[in-house]
Each structure stands twice: as C-alpha cells, then as structure tokens.
C-alpha cells in the first residue's frame, strides 16, 4: 500500500514563495488561444507606476484572481492580461518632487529629453516593484503578456485612434475654457477635478452706471480677483428691478473699463442681487454666455495662477493676495456694499489638490456626442450589465450630460500628440507617422509639445493589449472580455471611455459585465489615507499572516459595490482558519494506513453520517458555483468556510474517528477514508480560488490526479443516490447533540463527566434512526448511556430537557443538577418562546401577510409556530417538575 507524506508546521511565508515560483515555472498562468474551449478573459486595471500596492489594489486583484482561477478550473480558455499605466500627470509630479528634493532641480533644468529619461528610470523601479507586489498576493496573471501603456505596440494603437478620430472630425483643436491646474501647469478634464465644499464669502460690489453718478448696480461674487476680466453684467430679462438698465453701460472699478448690462435667461434672479458679473475667460458658465452674446474674453491670470498685466497694479500677486487687496481697496473706495458668509463647492486638482482655475486656452478635444450615444445604448439594452445594477445610473447620468473631452495635457511624460504645425504656412498636419517637413509647402514643422490625457490611452486597454490595430488571434478569441472588475470611483474616468472606444474601433463592447467593488476602509469606517495615518500596507499583512489570510479577509463579508471595513482581527481569524484546514488534513493523512485509492463505496456502505456529508457537500458545491457565477464572491467564500470548519472538521471528522481507529473495519473504514480524502480534496479545490497557496500545498500531499490544483477540474456533485431524508434526520440528531452541549454548558457540567441521555422522538419517522445511532451521542455528547423512549413511556423526572424538531432530549444529571440555575434558564427560555410565538401569531393573523406571501413561506411560518409551541409546552412541564425537587 502507498504511504502518504504528512504535513509539518503551517508556515505561510515558506509555502507561498515555493508555490508561486512553481506555478510560473510550469506556465500554468499562460494559455495559448484554443478555440475549442469557451473563452474567459479579464484585463487587469493597470496600476499606476507611481508607488506601492495599497489595500484597494489588493481587493481588486483578489476578486479578479478568484474569478480567473475558478474559470480556469472549469476548463475555460483563460486570459488574465496584466500591465501597468504610465499615469501621465501623477507620475510626472512624483518625479518632479523627487528631483526637487534630491537635486534641487526642476524638469526645465534637465530639459524634455533628459527629464523623460529620468521618468523611464522611475518607471523601471516602481513598475517592477508593483508587479512583484501583485505576484506576492498570488495573482495568476499571464505575465508573459504583460503590457505598459507606453510600450511600442501600444504607442501604435494610440496614434491610430487619435488620427482616425481626427479624420472623422471627432477630434478637433479649439480655444475654449478648461480646468487649469496652476501647480501642474496643465489642462484637466472635468473628471480630474474634485469638488469640495469650502467656507467662503459673497462679496457685494457696486459697479457705477456710466453718466449717472447717483446710480450703481450691485453684483455678488465669490471671486473679486477675476473682476479685471469682466466684460458685462447680466440680469434676467423679466426682472423688473433692472429692465431699464439693459443696454446701459457700467464702469468697472480699478481699470475703469466700460461694460454693458445684458439680459440672459441663465441668470438666477433669486441668487445674490440678481445681477451677475460675466468673466468669460475665468468661468465656464460665463464662457457659454460670452459665446451667446459675442463678448470678448479677457484672461487676467498667468498659467501659474498669478495676476497678469491686465490686472493693473495687482500684476504679479497670487490669486489669493489679489482678492484680499482688491476687497480692502473696494472698501476704501466705498464700492464694497457688504460681505456674506457663503459655503460653496471649490474645484481642486485630483493629483496635487491645488485649487483649479478655469482658463481659456487652445486645447485638443474629443467631440463626445456621437461617441456617447452608442455607449449609452449598450447599457440601456443590457449588452453590458453593471453588478450591482444601481451603478448603471452613475454611468448613464454622466454620459447623458457629457461635454467634449479635453485630451491635451501640458506635460512631458505620456503619448505626445501626433500633430505638427508648419512654421511657414501654418498648416496643421495630423499623421500616423512622424514627419519632418510640411506636405503642403515643404517648410519645417514643429510637433505639438503636449501629451494626451492618460485616460485616452488607458481607454484602449481591452483591445490595444491584445495587439490591435492588427487582427490578432487573441482579439478574435478573448475580445470582448468577460468581466471588468473595478472600483466605483473610476466609472467616469475609465469604464465609460473603454466602452465608447471599444464600440468605435472594435464595433463591439469591451466587456459583458462591470463588477463594481467598494473601497477598503479602516475598522472605524474611515477612508485609508496618509493624512489620517490609518493606511495598512497589504505587504506587511502578508509578511505577518500570509497572502491567503489577507485574500480571504478581503473577500468574506464583501458585497458587490459596498465599502468594507478592514479588521486585523479578521485576518488573524482567517490565518487560524488556514491552520484549522492544515490540522484537519494532517489528521486525515495520519489515518490513511491501508488506504486503497481504487476503492469506491456503494450506497449500501454509507452510514447516516456519510449520507449527510455527501448531501451537505453536494449542496455546498452547487451554492459556491452559483454564487461565483453571479459575482457574489463573499457569499461563496462564506459557504466554503462554513462547510469546511463546521460540517467537515467539527462534525464529520469526529463521527469518522471510531471507524478510522478500527483497523479491522474493512469496507466501513475504507468508506470513511474514501469520503474524508475525496471531500477534503474537493473542498481544497473549492477553496483554491480564495486561498491558493495553502490549498495547493495540502492538495499535493493528498491522493490526487494531475500536477497542480491550479489546473484541477472544478468539483461537481458526488454521484451517490440522493439521500435528502437521511440528511434531514442527521440534522435532527446534530441539533439534539448541540442541545445537550448547550444544556451541559449552562449547567456548568465538567467535560470529563458523562451523563445519561434519554431520547423521546415525537416524529415517528425518527425512531429507527435514533435507535440505530446512539453511538453518535456517546462520541459527540459525552453520553454515558443512551435510552430511547416510545410515545407511551413516561417522561423522566429529575432531568433537564431540550426540544428539537421531532425529538425531545432529556439529560439525567443526577446530583450534578443545580435546580435554581435550571429554573432561571427555563424562565429565560420561556420568555424567548413567548416573544417568538407572539411574533409568529401576529404575522399569521395578519391577512395582508397571508394574501401576499407565497404558500411555502406561510407553511414555513406555521411550522415554526408549532415547533415553538411544542418547546413551550416542554418547558412548562419541566418547570412543574422542578417544583417537586
């Protein structure tokens, strides 16, 4: 007979390093295109090359890896495409900060070429680091296909998309108002601006009416420093207070420029004074109004946010300094009417948190209307489905109200815009290939210095990573991808853009499901951040408890779309769970002497416990598989946990011990071994997507087929005759054993002391079962002796009782019973019974409930009521008995 090597001590650090290296060396994460298999593909949301793995990455990667490992075991042709994002502005800021701190230099000191070289060095260090970190989590990505959003193939895809959209008239260059970050010195798209409520003021300023020294118009503004760029004051056309002023001229303080009073329906006559100063160069709404009324646009700030020459004597001051000084001088001039407190939303750069300045500048834009409609249609018709469904609204609201997308950035790191300007004739040339002269006049050309918004390139991720614009076999097999796993915070930034780019260039959706997860918060529910000092480094957790424990913590209790709280205590508990599996497996391996791998029991060999564990296992397999298929990964994980810890370890192993210890047990012992080994191996396979390392290590020690659990077949039901009734009866027996354990605990009976157990079935169908399985009570309920009563037998006196469904259980404690304590216990239980009976009677007497609830639900409630009443009667009888003591 074969002998089986047992396990040593569980050390997650050792086994995790060993098995990840083995998996990679064996090439289990790489699959060639196989059109004979159904495809399943995920693209890894590419982490930025700006730093370290954080808990959000750990959650995102864990959820993806669970799905990938599950589908790989189910026999799908699997691709998990990994990669990293150059992250334009975010990476440039990091490198600029490093240069300033370490060398006291700016990027301008180095020049563009040298600076970009330094960013590539940064990318090499941090890009490699984050990939190593993702590996340490156990992510089974196909690293042989790893991509970077600035690699050569990707560069061709980005350029093709830009030129194709330009040729269709969907990309254009124009002078418009954009969000400008004075710190990063670049334009930003709307989604790169974070609005925060801040305490501010409304300043009421008097603008004198020209040629009427006695009259003025009072405007309310949150930004007095922009008044130097005012070109009009607007009122609502039907506002009787100002009708006579429409068409008249006002005199702008400080610069004494004359500006008209105009009428526009945009004005809210109830806000402030009903008069609005119009500054087209510094406010997006004013810009639109300026376009409608053909007003001049006057920019009064430099790109760094300081005031320019058009601000007169305030030139050179910062925005904040100019505001303070202007307000002080307006007060002196008698032109400041009043100041009110006013809380309002202020836009900040999402990268450096500087207050954003709306500025008019020449930028490149994508015309969004033609792209947005198809992207809305595929969500309306459910070609793409959000999980949970409520995030559909987040997506559709944004696209329904979308404005043209500003895609040019005044940066050096990124995809440079493939546009050249002729120095001679001024022609703009957009080209797929670099050019050195103007095709029109052969003059010299200069390439646009700007780069593309990083989200422009990452919008192509699902198809550009698979070799587009070439028609590759990978695209044919794996596009569209199966599911996108991502956080709700980048639905605008990334999800929507991948959808409209995929539809435009592949004429196909980029993924079928968008599986949204929430944020990982600290144990108090706060967002993890540097400023709060509450961030937890996933690598530190892995070092202490192992990747398996961290992964299981992140997925259990996690529901799609909801934020989760992270508790270190739960990580420790999940490390203990891994240890529990380890020790249970050690026990099984120790008891495989004489194990015959060819032996398969028949239905006739099965005990009641065997039938129950088979039914429980089959239910668990169906439940886990169904929940994984509908992205309820937390539910699936809880089912695995409950089955392993409670059903298998705490019950079945204990019930199997006497059979294992009987070396002459023959088929009975072989049956116990068969079920212990096979169910343990399949449990490990069910758990593998969640805890890949510990499951592989134990699986390799057990009897198995194949080289690795990674490519083992996903478990299916054990093929024995269905035994639902046997499983139900076993459940009653287990409830009775739990009841005895609870009674002993409440009576403080020491573990070593045994007591007589008397069983009185009230359900006749249980009589044979309890009569034949008294040994279960001896093994698991410390029974000294088990007696079965017929319905006509007298109930025992001087015994404590519990009632389970169909069975009364009496425990004879003789001189161990504490009558006073027992009375106290009964009173508590009676109160509980009374509440439950009252609740159920109220429900079943409610005609509304009876009319609306399905028959099965009503029947279940009636069954519960009957059970509680039976328990109540037993307690009353027990109470009467205690009076005789």
């Amino acid at each position: 007979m074969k002998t089986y090597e047992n396990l040593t001590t569980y050390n997650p650090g050792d086994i995790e390093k060993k098995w990840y290296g083995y998996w990679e060396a064996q090439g289990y994460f790489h699959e060639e295109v196989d059109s004979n298999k159904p495809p399943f593909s995920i693209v890894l949301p590419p982490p930025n090359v700006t730093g370290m793995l954080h808990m959000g990455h750990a959650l995102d990667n864990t959820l993806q890896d669970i799905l990938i490992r599950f589908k790989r075991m189910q026999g799908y042709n699997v691709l998990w495409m990994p990669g990293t994002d150059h992250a334009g502005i975010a990476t440039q800021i990091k490198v600029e900060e490093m240069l300033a701190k370490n060398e006291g230099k700016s990027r301008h000191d180095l020049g563009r070429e040298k600076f970009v070289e330094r960013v590539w060095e940064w990318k090499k260090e941090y890009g490699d680091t984050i990939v190593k970190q993702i590996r340490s989590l156990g992510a089974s990505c196909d690293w042989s296909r790893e991509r970077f959003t600035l690699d050569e193939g990707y560069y061709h895809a980005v350029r093709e998309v830009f030129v194709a959209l330009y040729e269709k008239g969907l990309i254009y260059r124009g002078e418009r108002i954009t969000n400008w970050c004075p710190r990063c010195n670049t334009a930003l798209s709307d989604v790169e601006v974070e609005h925060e409520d801040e305490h501010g003021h409304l300043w009421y300023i008097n603008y004198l009416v020209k040629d009427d020294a006695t009259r003025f118009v009072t405007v309310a503004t949150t930004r007095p420093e922009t008044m130097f760029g005012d070109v009009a004051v607007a009122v609502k056309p039907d506002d009787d207070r100002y009708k006579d002023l429409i068409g008249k001229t006002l005199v702008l303080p400080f610069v004494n420029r004359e500006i008209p009073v105009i009428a526009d329906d945009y004005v809210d006559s109830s806000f402030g004074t009903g008069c609005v100063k119009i500054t087209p160069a510094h406010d997006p709404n004013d810009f639109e109004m300026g376009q409608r009324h053909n007003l001049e646009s006057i920019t009064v700030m430099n790109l760094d946010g300081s005031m320019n020459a058009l601000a007169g004597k305030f030139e050179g001051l910062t925005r904040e300094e100019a505001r303070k000084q202007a307000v002080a001088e307006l007060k002196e001039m008698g032109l400041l009417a009043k100041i009110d407190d006013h809380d309002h939303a202020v836009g900040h750069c999402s990268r450096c948190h500087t207050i954003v300045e709306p500025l008019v500048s020449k930028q490149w834009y994508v015309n969004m209307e033609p792209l947005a409609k198809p992207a809305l249609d595929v969500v309306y018709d459910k070609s793409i489905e959000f999980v949970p469904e409520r995030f559909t609204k987040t997506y559709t609201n944004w696209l329904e109200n979308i404005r043209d997308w500003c895609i040019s950035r005044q940066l050096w790191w990124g995809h440079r815009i493939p546009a050249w300007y002729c120095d001679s004739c001024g022609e703009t040339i957009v080209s797929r290939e670099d050019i050195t002269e103007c095709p029109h006049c052969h003059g010299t050309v200069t390439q646009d210095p700007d780069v593309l918004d990083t989200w422009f390139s990452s919008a192509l991720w699902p198809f550009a990573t698979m070799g587009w614009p070439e028609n590759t076999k990978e695209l044919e097999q794996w596009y569209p991808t199966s599911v996108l796993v991502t956080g709700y915070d980048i639905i605008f930034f990334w999800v929507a853009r991948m959808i409209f780019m995929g539809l435009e260039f592949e004429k196909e959706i980029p993924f079928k499901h968008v599986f949204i997860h929430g944020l990982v918060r600290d144990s108090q529910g706060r967002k993890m951040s540097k400023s709060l000092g509450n961030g937890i480094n996933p690598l530190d957790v892995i070092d202490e408890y192992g990747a398996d424990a961290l992964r299981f913590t992140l997925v259990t209790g996690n529901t799609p779309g909801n934020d989760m709280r992270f508790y270190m205590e739960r990580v420790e508990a999940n490390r203990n769970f891994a240890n529990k599996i380890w020790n249970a497996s050690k026990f099984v391996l120790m008891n495989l002497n004489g194990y015959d791998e060819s032996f398969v029991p028949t239905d006739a060999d099965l005990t009641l416990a065997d039938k129950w564990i088979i039914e429980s296992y089959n239910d668990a397999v169906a439940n886990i598989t169904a929940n994984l298929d509908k992205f309820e990964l937390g539910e699936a994980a809880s089912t695995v946990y409950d089955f392993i810890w409670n059903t298998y370890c705490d019950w079945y192993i204990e019930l199997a011990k006497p059979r294992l210890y009987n070396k002459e047990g023959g088929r009975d012992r072989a049956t116990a071994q068969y079920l212990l080994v096979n169910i343990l191996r399949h449990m490990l396979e069910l758990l593998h997507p969640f805890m890949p390392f510990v499951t592989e290590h134990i699986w390799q020690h057990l009897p198995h087929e194949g080289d690795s659990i990674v490519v083992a077949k996903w478990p299916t039901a054990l093929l024995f005759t269905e035994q639902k009734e046997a499983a139900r009866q076993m459940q009653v027996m287990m409830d009775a054993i739990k009841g005895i354990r609870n009674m002993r605990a409440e009576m403080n009976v020491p573990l070593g002391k045994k007591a007589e157990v008397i069983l009185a079935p009230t359900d006749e169908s249980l009589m044979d079962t309890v009569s034949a399985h008294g040994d279960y009570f001896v093994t698991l309920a410390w029974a000294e002796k088990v007696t079965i009563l017929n319905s006509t037998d007298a109930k025992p006196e001087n015994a404590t009782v519990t009632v389970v469904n169909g069975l009364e259980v009496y425990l004879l404690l003789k001189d161990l019973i504490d009558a006073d304590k027992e009375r106290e216990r009964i009173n508590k239980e009676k109160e509980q019974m009374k509440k439950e009976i009252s609740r159920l009677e109220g429900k079943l007497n409610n005609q509304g409930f009876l009319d609306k609830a399905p028959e099965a639900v009503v029947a279940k409630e009636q069954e519960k009521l009957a059970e509680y009443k039976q328990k109540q009667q037993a307690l009353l009888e027990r109470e009467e008995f205690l009076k005789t003591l």
Side-chain angles (χ1 to χ4, degrees):
M1 286 288 181
K2 184 176 176 182
T3 57
Y4 299 95
E5 182 190 352
N6 212 326
L7 300 162
T8 54
T9 305
Y10 175 48
N11 185 320
D14 291 347
I15 67 170
E16 289 174 9
K17 287 186 184 70
K18 170 184 174 179
W19 290 114
Y20 199 88
Y22 169 76
W23 294 332
E24 282 210 80
Q26 296 300 314
Y28 291 136
F29 303 161
H30 174 80
E31 289 190 40
E32 291 295 334
V33 168
D34 184 349
S35 56
N36 294 317
K37 287 181 172 183
F40 184 86
S41 56
I42 295 178
V43 287
L44 179 85
N48 295 346
V49 290
T50 52
M52 307 287 277
L53 188 75
H54 59 64
M55 208 54 88
H57 289 126
L59 170 62
D60 197 67
N61 294 338
T62 296
L63 297 176
Q64 290 172 78
D65 195 41
I66 289 167
L67 294 172
I68 284 289
R69 288 180 184 270
F70 166 53
K71 290 297 179 183
R72 187 184 285 125
M73 293 172 78
Q74 280 192 317
Y76 282 74
N77 188 202
V78 167
L79 168 67
W80 188 10
M81 177 74 74
T84 48
D85 194 337
H86 70 281
I89 188 169
T91 307
Q92 180 159 317
I93 289 169
K94 289 277 188 185
V95 178
E96 286 188 74
E97 286 172 350
M98 180 194 71
L99 278 173
K101 182 181 175 184
N102 297 345
E103 302 175 33
K105 291 180 179 176
S106 74
R107 62 178 162 128
H108 300 286
D109 294 326
L110 269 67
R112 184 166 192 150
E113 193 176 324
K114 291 288 184 191
F115 177 76
V116 170
E117 282 176 17
R118 297 294 283 272
V119 188
W120 275 106
E121 288 170 15
W122 169 283
K123 181 266 167 188
K124 178 80 179 86
E125 180 181 348
Y126 284 96
D128 289 356
T129 299
I130 204 156
V131 165
K132 284 176 192 162
Q133 292 167 347
I134 292 169
R135 280 181 158 100
S136 72
L137 194 66
S140 59
C141 302
D142 184 351
W143 296 109
S144 68
R145 287 190 164 98
E146 184 184 349
R147 299 301 301 270
F148 178 53
T149 54
L150 274 179
D151 66 31
E152 189 177 345
Y154 211 94
Y155 164 82
H156 289 303
V158 170
R159 185 168 280 199
E160 175 60 35
V161 166
F162 185 95
V163 177
L165 289 175
Y166 179 79
E167 288 171 348
K168 284 184 76 169
L170 293 176
I171 281 182
Y172 63 92
R173 191 171 184 236
E175 195 153 356
R176 297 181 52 179
I177 194 159
T178 54
N179 306 296
W180 184 268
C181 175
R183 156 65 185 82
C184 301
N185 258 293
T186 183
L188 305 171
S189 68
D190 291 343
V191 292
E192 291 171 297
V193 178
E194 294 175 349
H195 289 89
E196 296 175 13
D197 287 334
E198 291 190 2
H199 178 67
H201 298 92
L202 262 181
W203 286 273
Y204 290 78
I205 304 169
N206 293 335
Y207 287 16
L208 295 173
V209 178
K210 186 189 176 190
D211 300 329
D212 187 346
T214 64
R215 196 168 182 198
F216 53 81
V217 168
T218 306
V219 298
T221 180
T222 58
R223 305 200 58 202
E225 71 278 12
T226 64
M227 64 189 293
F228 310 107
D230 290 359
V231 294
V233 166
V235 298
K236 206 167 186 71
D238 58 0
D239 192 332
D240 291 335
R241 294 173 295 175
Y242 306 115
K243 272 184 179 174
D244 66 315
L245 283 172
I246 295 169
K248 293 199 172 177
T249 305
L250 308 177
V251 179
L252 190 63
F254 297 119
V255 292
N256 295 321
R257 190 169 66 249
E258 295 179 8
I259 59 174
V261 177
I262 62 171
D264 196 287
D265 282 320
Y266 172 78
V267 177
D268 178 0
S269 53
S270 65
F271 179 78
T273 62
C275 297
V276 181
K277 69 187 205 65
I278 306 304
T279 322
H282 293 277
D283 182 279
N285 297 314
D286 292 4
F287 181 82
E288 300 293 336
M289 209 182 297
Q291 297 281 297
R292 286 197 292 275
H293 295 272
N294 295 313
L295 298 171
E296 185 185 4
S297 187
I298 301 172
T299 302
V300 298
M301 286 183 204
N302 300 308
L303 297 180
D304 64 359
S306 63
M307 308 306 293
N308 66 21
L310 293 174
K313 63 180 179 179
F314 298 98
E315 182 183 5
L317 297 181
T318 65
R319 295 173 290 178
E320 295 75 18
E321 290 167 344
R323 177 184 301 175
K324 194 180 289 184
Q325 199 164 314
V327 167
E329 293 198 25
L330 285 167
K331 193 173 183 181
E332 280 180 26
M333 295 157 65
L335 295 177
L336 187 65
K338 64 171 181 170
I339 305 172
D340 283 348
D341 287 339
H342 178 65
D343 294 341
H344 61 126
V346 177
H348 294 76
C349 172
S350 62
R351 298 299 177 188
C352 70
H353 219 61
T354 302
I355 292 176
V356 166
E357 186 62 48
L359 280 176
V360 171
S361 59
K362 190 170 269 193
Q363 303 288 346
W364 287 91
Y365 293 89
V366 175
N367 177 4
M368 283 307 307
E369 192 178 338
L371 296 171
K373 188 183 180 308
L376 282 165
D377 290 343
V378 292
V379 170
Y380 290 143
D381 68 17
K382 298 196 178 300
S383 299
I384 294 176
E385 294 184 83
F386 281 78
V387 181
E389 198 273 336
R390 69 178 185 273
F391 287 101
T392 305
K393 203 71 186 157
T394 308
Y395 171 89
T396 56
N397 281 350
W398 185 65
L399 273 182
E400 284 166 355
N401 299 289
I402 195 152
R403 297 197 295 186
D404 285 0
W405 173 18
C406 175
I407 54 169
S408 45
R409 299 290 180 270
Q410 289 63 55
L411 305 171
W412 290 351
W413 173 245
H415 286 275
R416 195 158 173 186
I417 288 174
W420 287 260
Y421 309 114
C422 178
D423 300 331
S424 302
C425 70
E427 189 70 33
T428 297
I429 306 101
V430 169
S431 171
R432 288 172 175 80
E433 306 298 329
D434 287 356
I435 63 169
T436 54
E437 64 172 36
C438 176
H440 304 284
C441 71
H442 303 291
T444 57
V445 292
T446 304
Q447 187 175 357
D448 194 305
D450 292 351
V451 300
L452 287 163
D453 176 9
T454 190
W455 295 103
F456 186 93
S457 50
S458 56
L460 320 182
W461 191 246
F463 57 90
T465 51
M466 294 189 203
W468 188 92
E470 301 301 320
N471 291 317
T472 65
K473 58 185 181 179
E474 284 83 6
L475 273 170
E476 190 177 336
Q477 175 73 345
W478 284 309
Y479 187 93
T481 62
S482 308
V483 56
L484 174 75
V485 182
T486 190
Y488 57 66
D489 51 339
I490 56 171
I491 290 174
F492 310 143
F493 287 101
W494 194 43
V495 179
R497 288 169 175 166
M498 282 190 287
I499 292 173
F500 65 66
M501 287 296 199
L503 291 169
E504 176 67 22
F505 289 97
E506 273 292 285
K507 309 305 177 194
E508 181 90 65
I509 56 173
F511 27 73
K512 293 165 187 166
H513 293 96
V514 182
F515 175 24
I516 300 288
H517 60 75
L519 303 175
V520 183
R521 297 183 177 273
D522 71 8
S523 57
Q524 297 174 48
R526 301 174 301 174
K527 191 172 178 179
M528 291 186 182
S529 68
K530 285 181 184 173
S531 58
L532 288 174
N534 63 342
I536 298 171
N537 186 337
L539 299 176
D540 294 341
V541 180
I542 290 170
D543 286 344
E544 188 168 359
Y545 296 104
D548 284 333
L550 173 61
R551 287 167 63 114
F552 208 71
T553 301
L554 289 169
V555 76
T556 45
N558 183 298
T559 51
N562 293 331
D563 291 350
M564 65 170 292
R565 294 191 181 195
F566 187 87
Y567 299 90
M568 288 305 297
E569 297 84 353
R570 285 187 54 228
V571 185
E572 191 171 354
N574 288 320
R575 156 73 195 258
N576 293 341
F577 173 51
N579 211 51
K580 174 102 172 176
I581 303 165
W582 188 274
N583 289 333
S585 304
K586 277 179 87 168
F587 170 80
V588 171
L589 286 162
M590 282 166 53
N591 286 280
L592 289 188
N593 320 28
Y595 176 63
D596 179 0
E597 290 188 29
S598 66
F599 173 80
V600 179
T602 65
D603 285 348
D605 293 313
L606 303 178
T607 65
L608 182 71
D610 295 339
K611 292 170 183 175
W612 163 77
I613 192 74
I614 290 166
E615 288 295 324
S616 301
Y617 164 77
N618 288 348
D619 286 348
V621 171
N623 182 301
I624 293 158
T625 307
N627 276 312
L628 285 172
D629 277 332
K630 61 186 182 186
F631 306 108
E632 290 288 355
L633 275 55
E635 281 294 314
S638 296
T639 303
V640 179
Y641 179 95
D642 187 59
F643 181 81
I644 292 174
W645 191 294
N646 298 318
T647 307
Y648 184 85
C649 294
D650 287 355
W651 286 96
Y652 189 69
I653 283 181
E654 295 305 314
L655 287 165
K657 279 179 179 177
R659 300 159 75 192
L660 291 175
Y661 297 157
N662 179 8
K663 303 300 181 193
E664 307 303 319
R667 289 185 71 87
D668 186 47
R669 182 171 186 269
T671 299
Q673 286 180 322
Y674 172 89
L675 289 173
L676 281 168
V677 167
N678 281 279
I679 290 177
L680 174 57
R681 188 179 70 251
H682 292 324
M683 282 186 328
L684 293 169
E685 289 157 359
L686 292 168
L687 181 62
H688 175 70
F690 305 94
M691 301 178 92
F693 296 107
V694 70
T695 51
E696 175 76 276
H697 193 81
I698 298 171
W699 189 90
Q700 293 285 355
H701 282 71
L702 290 170
H704 65 267
E705 290 180 9
D707 296 325
S708 171
I709 197 171
V710 173
V711 287
K713 285 183 181 173
W714 184 251
T716 53
L718 291 175
L719 298 177
F720 290 92
T721 304
E722 191 176 277
Q723 298 286 352
K724 295 288 184 195
E725 177 57 20
R728 182 191 74 81
Q729 294 195 9
M730 180 66 193
Q731 191 60 54
V732 173
M733 302 270 286
M734 290 164 60
D735 290 343
I737 290 165
K738 288 178 201 168
I740 293 168
R741 290 173 175 176
N742 289 339
M743 288 190 288
R744 289 177 60 100
E746 286 168 8
M747 303 297 287
N748 291 318
V749 179
L751 280 179
K753 295 203 174 181
K754 295 189 174 185
E756 185 177 348
V757 170
I758 297 172
L759 304 172
T762 54
D763 176 352
E764 283 297 318
S765 68
L766 289 169
M767 182 60 77
D768 290 344
T769 301
V770 294
S771 300
H773 295 90
D775 57 319
Y776 287 6
F777 291 87
V778 174
T779 303
L780 297 175
W782 308 285
E784 183 179 49
K785 175 186 171 189
V786 179
T787 304
I788 314 296
L789 298 182
N790 290 310
S791 57
T792 55
D793 293 337
K795 301 292 168 67
E797 296 182 356
N798 197 20
T800 186
V801 64
T802 189
V803 181
V804 297
N805 197 9
L807 191 62
E808 291 176 6
V809 184
Y810 296 89
L811 192 60
L812 292 180
L813 297 174
K814 298 175 185 169
D815 57 332
L816 296 175
I817 192 165
D818 183 332
D820 290 336
K821 197 162 190 177
E822 177 65 352
R823 285 190 194 95
E824 189 182 327
R825 184 187 74 80
I826 286 172
N827 283 331
K828 277 184 190 170
E829 207 167 330
K830 267 173 58 188
E831 274 304 307
Q832 186 61 33
M833 288 301 112
K834 189 177 172 184
K835 281 181 193 169
E836 289 298 330
I837 289 167
S838 174
R839 181 182 68 79
L840 285 166
E841 284 180 338
K843 205 177 202 182
L844 291 166
N845 288 330
N846 180 340
Q847 196 57 45
F849 169 73
L850 297 175
D851 291 342
K852 290 177 185 173
E855 279 182 34
V857 172
V858 174
K860 189 78 177 166
E861 297 297 273
Q862 288 169 335
E863 191 182 313
K864 276 191 207 167
L865 180 60
E867 188 182 333
Y868 284 136
K869 283 186 172 178
Q870 189 182 7
K871 285 186 178 182
Q872 186 184 51
Q873 184 57 37
L875 289 166
L876 290 170
E877 289 173 10
R878 178 66 182 146
E879 193 172 42
E880 285 305 307
F881 157 70
L882 284 176
K883 289 176 184 174
T884 66
L885 294 181

